[in-house]
Amino acid sequence: MSTALIVLAAGKGTRMKSEMPKVLHPIAGAPMLIHALRAGAALEPQRIVVITGHGAEAVEAAAIDHDPDIQTARQEQQLGTAHAVAQARSALAGHEGNALILYGDTPFIQAETLERMIDARRDHDMVVLGFEAADPGRYGRLVMNGSALERIVEFKDASDQERAITFCNSGVIAADSHVLFDLIDAVGNDNASGEYYLTDIISIARERGLTATAIACDEAETLGVNSREELAAAEMLFQARARAEAFEDGVTFYAPDSVYFSFDTVIGRDALLEQNIVFGPGVTVESGAHIRAFSHLEGCHVARGAIVGPYARLRPGTELAEDVRVGNFVELKNAVLDTGAKVNHLSYIGDAHLGAASNVGAGTVTCNYDGVMKHHTEIGAHAFIGSSTMLVAPVSIGDHAMTASGSVITQDVPEGALALARSRQVNRPGLARKLFEMLKQTRDKREKGAV
Ligand code: UD1
Ligand code: MG
């Protein structure tokens, strides 16, 4: 059955004390909203509507940047969760099938949990996601009768008996799209908050003879973020989960707590991760690659058998083929290194392609930027770049070619050629000794003068 997602993201998040809308605060390098959307994407939704309000323009831009097919609808005034869902009506006009409501500030919902909800929809008109709360606090309470959900009561409106219930509402609800909007039409705001509660649709559905149930998930999945402290806690929780998943996938760590992942990091089996590594967004590390200590990687792909670091920086567009070596204090940006290429020490390689088994000596720089435009450097297979070569791009070095150390290469080097682009050395016999003497005398005179 086809599914549409409605993601509520209009709330202000006052307790974040931020100029930025709450749902745009990042966890593991992606806005919370994107985490929710990624979980929902597992259902292969036909339509996605994000309800925006506070900071609407920024939230809409982030949503569309993530997926240009996302629709957005504005909730000008935040009159409650049912009112928020009502704003999705025209975006979902003509949609046949499920509607699933998610919160943009609940980033840990698992795709598999949402799939269980959609499965449960086969036997029930309404499916609510609940959780056993360690501290039920101010959550809405799920009033069950066996497996049937009778109604949801908000904390503010609950009796003492109802407040004793520990099975709580996560806010995630699935129902047929037409049924959902019909029910929402019937929701009023005669309650302790004067808000249109989405939760009221359950009792209205039951009165109309529809069935409702609740399925349970782990409380950690429903964790919402309301303050900076909770944001930091969410980040730690994300990292702990990512490390646990990596262990499960067969990754070796020397110091797991010092390795930080992004929301989309992919690490293959038998990869070895040393201490203090940061993975920015968009990194794939294949099986058996070895990332050494204090390396920072983003937007790159590391093939099997490659060794990176210690102290390497891989920036977006970097592609390392099998058995590549990237050593200490090397920065790579938009650089493709073919099999067995080596850049081992203190180099900057940007906007470049290095052929197989090429070797770049210490302190080499691709001078890729002229102050206005970026230019490409091409290095052939088995080429040897002498230490401290400046490659002034655009420039190309042929296969099996060499550059002499300290060269400033401004012209292409043909295949097999040796390029020498530095001034010739001159030795002046005895001149160093004389110079030392002169300098010492000058120093001694100055020191006497100072006394
Ligand atoms: C809601 C539920 C409660 C549940 C809890 C789980 C209702 C009435 N209550 O309460 O049963 O236990 O979530 O966290 O639904 N939002 C809008 N527009 C609005 C109001 C809210 O977009 O007008 C968004 C918020 O940005 C947020 C979500 O909806 O992402 C939930 O709103 P919030 O105010 O946090 O609801 P709670 O009072 O926590
Ligand atoms: Mg809340």
Side-chain angles (χ1 to χ4, degrees):
M1 199 195 293
S2 74
T3 297
L5 298 180
I6 302 170
V7 184
L8 306 191
K12 184 161 189 209
T14 312
R15 286 199 282 143
M16 291 300 284
K17 307 247 168 68
S18 178
E19 298 296 317
M20 182 160 72
K22 173 160 84 168
V23 295
L24 296 188
H25 282 267
I27 295 171
M32 280 188 243
L33 173 67
I34 305 306
H35 287 263
L37 288 169
R38 282 168 60 91
L43 303 175
E44 297 179 6
Q46 261 70 42
R47 300 190 200 185
I48 302 172
V49 191
V50 176
I51 310 300
T52 63
H54 284 281
E57 277 171 26
V59 176
E60 286 160 9
I64 287 161
D65 181 55
H66 172 69
D67 175 355
D69 292 333
I70 285 179
Q71 294 175 274
T72 59
R74 288 208 186 167
Q75 185 193 24
E76 300 296 347
Q77 269 184 297
Q78 280 66 60
L79 303 180
T81 44
H83 180 257
V85 172
Q87 311 311 308
R89 189 189 305 266
S90 59
L92 295 192
H95 170 73
E96 300 298 332
N98 282 313
L100 180 94
I101 297 153
L102 291 173
Y103 290 174
D105 58 355
T106 309
F108 289 112
I109 295 282
Q110 298 294 294
E112 170 267 332
T113 300
L114 302 180
E115 279 160 3
R116 281 197 290 133
M117 289 184 71
I118 297 299
D119 284 347
R121 269 277 297 125
R122 290 204 198 111
D123 303 319
H124 303 275
D125 295 309
M126 320 289 297
V127 179
V128 172
L129 182 64
F131 60 101
E132 275 300 332
D135 170 14
R138 304 185 65 79
Y139 287 118
R141 306 299 206 264
L142 300 181
V143 181
M144 303 296 294
N145 180 4
S147 66
L149 174 62
E150 297 289 351
R151 59 201 182 89
I152 306 175
V153 56
E154 286 304 292
F155 176 80
K156 278 188 186 170
D157 303 285
S159 64
D160 286 347
Q161 208 183 355
E162 288 164 336
R163 287 183 180 183
I165 296 172
T166 54
F167 193 33
C168 292
N169 176 31
S170 70
V172 183
I173 298 183
D176 173 80
S177 183
H178 294 290
V179 170
L180 175 71
F181 289 111
D182 279 351
L183 293 169
I184 283 200
D185 283 340
V187 171
N189 64 351
D190 181 16
N191 52 51
S193 309
E195 284 183 14
Y196 294 88
Y197 289 163
L198 178 64
T199 44
D200 283 353
I201 62 172
I202 299 301
S203 55
I204 300 169
R206 296 306 306 268
E207 281 161 21
R208 294 183 181 182
L210 299 173
T211 63
T213 194
I215 69 158
C217 71
D218 197 86
E219 183 169 4
E221 281 187 51
T222 70
L223 187 100
V225 173
N226 297 300
S227 65
R228 303 279 180 160
E229 207 173 356
E230 286 174 12
L231 183 68
E235 178 72 37
M236 283 192 282
L237 178 63
F238 180 94
Q239 296 301 336
R241 281 193 184 185
R243 291 168 195 141
E245 271 172 32
F247 280 130
E248 198 56 38
D249 292 344
V251 175
T252 298
F253 291 84
Y254 287 167
D257 288 351
S258 71
V259 175
Y260 291 85
F261 294 104
S262 271
F263 66 103
D264 60 352
T265 309
V266 179
I267 311 282
R269 175 181 295 221
D270 286 321
L272 169 58
L273 306 180
E274 293 189 5
Q275 300 88 339
N276 296 293
I277 300 168
V278 176
F279 292 101
V283 177
T284 306
V285 174
E286 278 186 30
S287 298
H290 180 174
I291 312 297
R292 303 197 60 197
F294 298 99
S295 293
H296 188 285
L297 295 82
E298 60 186 317
C300 63
H301 171 242
V302 179
R304 62 181 61 224
I307 303 178
V308 172
Y311 300 97
R313 179 164 183 215
L314 272 46
R315 292 173 52 204
T318 296
E319 289 270 344
L320 307 187
E322 290 187 21
D323 303 322
V324 160
R325 299 282 181 273
V326 174
N328 42 267
F329 307 108
V330 170
E331 176 180 344
L332 304 181
K333 187 220 61 173
N334 191 26
V336 176
L337 277 61
D338 289 351
T339 308
K342 291 188 182 126
V343 187
N344 270 330
H345 332 269
L346 298 151
S347 291
Y348 171 64
I349 304 294
D351 303 309
H353 170 232
L354 275 60
S358 55
N359 190 319
V360 172
T364 292
V365 174
T366 53
C367 309
N368 60 328
Y369 187 44
D370 57 17
V372 179
M373 285 176 291
K374 300 283 168 68
H375 302 282
H376 182 82
T377 298
E378 182 70 30
I379 296 177
H382 300 276
F384 184 92
I385 307 302
S387 292
S388 203
T389 298
M390 297 294 115
L391 297 158
V392 182
V395 72
S396 132
I397 314 294
D399 294 346
H400 298 277
M402 258 191 205
T403 67
S405 296
S407 289
V408 178
I409 302 293
T410 54
Q411 293 165 35
D412 291 353
V413 180
E415 183 193 341
L418 167 65
L420 284 142
R422 61 188 189 206
S423 50
R424 192 172 283 278
Q425 181 171 330
V426 186
N427 289 342
R428 300 263 190 254
L431 194 57
R433 211 181 285 281
K434 273 188 196 160
L435 193 58
F436 275 129
E437 277 313 314
M438 270 170 58
L439 291 169
K440 279 180 191 158
Q441 280 172 16
T442 310
R443 180 193 59 194
D444 293 348
K445 267 184 204 160
R446 276 192 196 169
E447 282 177 0
K448 269 187 201 149
V451 172

